[in-house]
Amino acid sequence: MSSKPKIVVVGSSNTDMIIKGDRIPAPGETVVGGAFSTAPGGKGANQAVAAARAGGDVVFVARVGDDMLGRQAIAGYEQDGIDVSFVQRDPALATGVALIIVDQTGNNSIAVASGANAALTPDDVERAADAIKSAKMVVFQLETPIETIMRAARLAKDAGVPVLLDPAPAPSEPLPKELLECVTVVKPNEGEASRLTGIDVTDEASAFQAAEKLLELGVSTAIITLGAAGSVVATKDGVRKRAPAIRVDAVDATAAGDCYSGALAVALGEGKSLDDAIAFASKAASLSVRRLGAQPSLPTREEIERA
Ligand code: RIB
């Protein structure tokens, strides 16, 4: 049996079409210039790959199209040692595609055509029930249907398996309480925390208020990331603290949050303390912003330990 912690990621798989240019166009504007590339992406897949490279034994539950992009995506996950038994190939829908523009400072703007991701069903999750029940941690984001995420969260909670929710992209409405009650760790950024709690998160004080609200809503640990200002952490056991950010010159921030979540899941699955797990995840995320593209930028365990 592998000594690596088993991490199940339920979520999206996309192919990213990227322009690295000077700046992000305003609505109605055309900006000429920059370089085009493609890379494997999707928040779920990025978290799965991040976890695998960080040292997890990863099972990915997802849906891609039965097309060239889907086949390429699956081949990439296999190269990272991910169990793809529960990655379905949908005969009727295309693999998800994200159009990403990255500016000179590494900031991005992303539009996603979900394709097969939107057809990931609760039954797809049921098929992976044994994997979920035997995991050290189950990880979700919000690029697949909410009823599917809720089924997976419920399966994990009933089996006593910790759940990590990365609530990205920011939900258009508050998440169901039944979902948040199944969540062990939630890791929103400022915008996502504002959407989840109705509290406008603009600084440390408002981040702590939002974290308290997330605990009231049923999660056990809230980590609200604040970009260059680090993160605030609050737990049901009374921990209230700040974690510093690691300063880097960013080439591309795409998938930095996904990288953080994947690495955090592995560290917690290994039994590291919350402080050590956050430090490990912050290091991984700080490495990911130095390279262009979502999955090409995700660091290996060796790179994280060397940083
Ligand atoms: O979080 C980054 C990801 O968001 C990209 O890889 C893109 O596919 C979108 O899902």
Side-chain angles (χ1 to χ4, degrees), residues 21-182:
D22 270 355
R23 63 189 177 82
I24 295 167
E29 187 189 17
T30 302
V31 173
V32 176
F36 172 74
S37 57
T38 65
K43 294 182 195 305
N46 298 342
Q47 290 167 15
V49 171
R53 292 191 191 156
D57 178 13
V58 177
V59 179
F60 187 32
V61 182
R63 224 166 230 268
V64 296
D66 192 8
D67 50 25
M68 185 189 71
L69 297 181
R71 284 190 284 278
Q72 282 174 352
I74 291 173
Y77 308 144
E78 283 174 328
Q79 255 179 20
D80 273 301
I82 294 171
D83 179 344
V84 294
S85 319
F86 303 105
V87 179
Q88 312 276 328
R89 285 199 260 163
D90 192 309
L93 291 164
T95 295
V97 167
L99 301 183
I100 304 184
I101 304 186
V102 182
D103 71 13
Q104 263 182 344
T105 62
N107 284 325
N108 64 30
S109 171
I110 304 180
V112 175
S114 296
N117 294 305
L120 187 71
T121 63
D123 282 351
D124 292 336
V125 161
E126 276 303 332
R127 276 190 277 276
D130 286 347
I132 290 173
K133 289 179 192 167
S134 61
K136 285 279 188 224
M137 188 115 212
V138 179
V139 182
F140 314 101
Q141 349 63 43
L142 300 177
E143 270 186 339
T144 47
I146 193 77
E147 62 273 17
T148 304
I149 295 165
M150 285 179 68
R151 177 71 66 88
R154 177 44 63 191
L155 273 170
K157 168 91 175 170
D158 289 349
V161 174
V163 166
L164 167 60
L165 173 67
D166 184 338
S172 48
E173 49 192 53
L175 291 175
K177 198 160 188 313
E178 309 93 90
L179 174 61
L180 290 173
E181 281 168 355
C182 294

